[in-house]
Amino acid sequence: MKNIILDCDPGHDDMVAIILALSSPEINLLGITTVAGNQTVDKTFNNALKILTLLGVKGIPVTRGSEKPILRDLKTAPEFHGISGLDGAELPEPKTMGIQTNSIDFIVDTLQKSKDKIYIVATGPLTNIAISILKAPEIKNRIERIVLMGGAIHDSNITPSAEFNIYVDPEAAKVVFDSGIPITMVGLDVTNRCVFTFEEIKTLKNSKKSLSRIIGHLLWYFAQSNLKYYGIEGAPLHDPLTVAYTINKDILKVKEYHVDIETRGEYTTGATVVDIYGISGKNPNAEVAVDADVGMYKSMIFEAIKFFEKSI
Ligand code: RIB
Ligand code: CA
């Protein structure tokens, strides 16, 4: 079993990452630390609480984190996730209030107190992770691996050269990629192949089970925004692939590359500059996902949803 902290900005695909983490016997979810990204941190925090309430899960610490990137103004993504950050279905009001500890203090304290190393799974901008590392550098050797959804070798979504999570806080991403902590970068090159089609989403949307119907309507909303902006015929579930990899490494093919983060480009700020030929001469600082077993991934997600259908 792997101890993980899930740092996220729910967010439709972050929600599925939470469901997958909570359903797996391989994962011990120590806490959900929220960060500003898809929406403001008040909304991502509240969405995390609503998701746990929907699932009937109690006892998982949920914290509110950074309200904005380290240096830049916050850019949110209402065009994809809506005003609430989880538009598309009515979610129950939270039955739990979360904990008063800030995400950064929770990450630092949990790592400092843990006798075993901990996985950090990050599915939003890396602001919380970077500030935690800067605040308490000694935690670096308490982190088993950072498995993050972000960046791309050859793909983009928020500008022609950048992926949203990295673009929102490129300085934070630079701190993380330069930290020396083992990193798995799960980028758009593979997550954009993990598209849940409208037909697959309909099986949830039309289910007899209320939980599946709610998840189906949420994913339908997310799929519609991806169709509108990218012509993608469904919902690319970016974030849960990090959790799926943490559960079973066989789901991804990865290659060791050096990755730099562009923080000063006129057209390229937020780009993950992946040195696939070793031209820079710099040692690899990340394993980068280059392929995924999409069939295995979709089965894991549908099994995770079934798990909660039985338990609530
Ligand atoms: O680019 C995709 C990422 O941006 C995902 O984490 C999604 O939730 C958004 O945050
Ligand atoms: Ca996210």
Side-chain angles (χ1 to χ4, degrees), residues 9-14 37-38 77 81 122-125 149-151 157-158 163-166 188 191 222 230 238-239:
D9 61 339
H12 293 74
D13 51 336
D14 304 77
N38 285 324
H81 300 276
T123 64
M149 192 281 138
N157 61 4
I158 192 68
E163 176 279 328
F164 180 80
N165 287 339
I166 307 297
L188 293 173
T191 65
F222 188 51
Y230 303 119
H238 309 289
D239 293 336

Side-chain angles (χ1 to χ4, degrees), residues 72 161-162 166-174 177-178 259-274:
R72 298 168 189 263
S161 53
I166 307 297
Y167 178 76
V168 168
D169 198 342
E171 285 74 23
K174 184 168 182 55
F177 277 86
D178 289 353
V259 181
D260 279 312
I261 308 297
E262 180 56 71
T263 58
R264 292 181 290 179
E266 183 178 355
Y267 303 108
T268 55
T269 288
T272 44
V273 183
V274 183

Side-chain angles (χ1 to χ4, degrees), residues 15-305:
M15 170 193 70
V16 183
I18 291 170
I19 291 171
L20 185 56
L22 286 169
S23 70
S24 172
E26 298 298 319
I27 299 285
N28 178 27
L29 182 57
L30 298 175
I32 297 173
T33 54
T34 61
V35 67
N38 285 324
Q39 261 301 346
T40 63
V41 72
D42 283 346
K43 291 182 178 178
T44 60
F45 174 66
N46 201 39
N47 287 340
L49 298 176
K50 287 184 171 181
I51 292 163
L52 293 184
T53 302
L54 175 71
L55 300 173
V57 169
K58 294 185 177 69
I60 301 284
V62 179
T63 62
R64 181 193 275 104
S66 304
E67 295 184 352
K68 66 176 289 298
I70 291 175
L71 292 182
R72 298 168 189 263
D73 292 335
L74 174 62
K75 170 171 180 49
T76 57
E79 66 276 27
F80 293 100
H81 300 276
I83 295 303
S84 74
L86 258 183
D87 282 17
E90 270 311 301
L91 293 179
E93 281 310 306
K95 283 200 181 121
T96 162
M97 300 310 292
I99 62 174
Q100 291 313 307
T101 309
N102 172 285
S103 293
I104 290 148
D105 293 336
F106 178 86
I107 291 167
V108 172
D109 294 349
T110 304
L111 285 166
Q112 284 176 334
K113 287 176 187 151
S114 173
K115 63 179 176 40
D116 303 316
K117 286 193 173 185
I118 292 173
Y119 284 78
I120 301 279
V121 178
T123 64
L126 293 165
T127 315
N128 289 343
I129 314 303
I131 295 174
S132 298
I133 293 170
L134 294 172
K135 178 177 180 179
E138 73 279 6
I139 65 171
K140 285 195 277 189
N141 63 20
R142 315 292 305 124
I143 298 172
E144 179 67 39
R145 176 168 290 274
I146 296 175
V147 186
L148 63 91
M149 192 281 138
I153 303 172
H154 301 300
D155 206 339
S156 62
N157 61 4
I158 192 68
T159 72
S161 53
E163 176 279 328
F164 180 80
N165 287 339
I166 307 297
Y167 178 76
V168 168
D169 198 342
E171 285 74 23
K174 184 168 182 55
V175 167
V176 171
F177 277 86
D178 289 353
S179 68
I181 298 167
I183 290 170
T184 302
M185 176 181 128
V186 182
L188 293 173
D189 315 280
V190 291
T191 65
N192 271 339
R193 292 182 210 162
C194 299
V195 177
F196 279 63
T197 65
F198 284 106
E199 284 316 304
E200 287 167 331
I201 297 170
K202 261 188 207 156
T203 65
L204 295 170
K205 213 160 154 270
N206 301 331
S207 167
K208 291 187 177 62
K209 299 278 185 178
S210 65
L211 175 66
S212 290
R213 284 200 302 277
I214 291 169
I215 295 170
H217 280 90
L218 288 166
L219 293 184
W220 190 266
Y221 178 93
F222 188 51
Q224 293 288 358
S225 51
N226 278 274
L227 177 63
K228 178 179 173 186
Y229 286 96
Y230 303 119
I232 294 176
E233 296 281 339
L237 290 195
H238 309 289
D239 293 336
L241 195 52
T242 57
V243 176
Y245 176 77
T246 308
I247 293 167
N248 180 352
K249 282 181 177 288
D250 295 340
I251 203 160
L252 290 179
K253 181 180 175 195
V254 297
K255 287 193 176 171
E256 301 274 341
Y257 293 131
H258 187 86
V259 181
D260 279 312
I261 308 297
E262 180 56 71
T263 58
R264 292 181 290 179
E266 183 178 355
Y267 303 108
T268 55
T269 288
T272 44
V273 183
V274 183
D275 186 1
I276 59 174
Y277 298 117
I279 293 169
S280 69
K282 296 176 187 172
N283 291 328
N285 59 348
E287 55 176 31
V288 178
V290 294
D291 203 359
D293 182 333
V294 180
M296 183 199 288
Y297 182 47
K298 290 186 174 180
S299 304
M300 288 173 80
I301 301 278
F302 282 111
E303 282 309 307
I305 294 169

